Amino acid sequence: MRSLALLPPLCLLSLTLAACSAGAPAPRAAPTGAARIAAECALLTQAGTMMAAAGNAAHDGLLEGCPGSTARDTRPLARQTASLRDGGQAALPPGVARGSRGEAVFRRMITRGVPVSLAIRLTADPLFAEAAR
């Protein structure tokens, strides 16, 4: 008898779940880690090109860790530390949430030597959105 008392709530729950899932769009697959890395490396390549065009060539290690790159960050330790400090202190641009993957990508660009102003501009690039997914 007791199990019959549970029948109405269970029926209501199953109808609710069926109604919720019937009109829901199919979830979009999250990009793989490799796709995010490729997008971030393409973003760094773009940053390097933009830095060179502005007369401030990027250091050799900008693409360190990117697929196909064997470059290492050979900047003096003081410069690397300054970049790390700049990355940690930079204010987040609009649309980049604290604690998000976007914040990590933004700060990583700066610690690799991308000027803060350029990193802020690059957050509007579709490559940034792909790297931050």
Side-chain angles (χ1 to χ4, degrees), residues 77-88:
L77 185 57
R79 184 62 209 131
Q80 291 182 36
T81 304
S83 291
L84 181 62
R85 191 174 18 262
D86 292 345

Side-chain angles (χ1 to χ4, degrees), residues 50 56 90 93 106 109-110 114-123:
M50 294 170 80
N56 184 20
F106 171 71
M109 282 192 291
I110 298 166
V114 176
V116 174
S117 59
L118 178 56
I120 290 170
R121 282 198 331 235
L122 287 171
T123 61

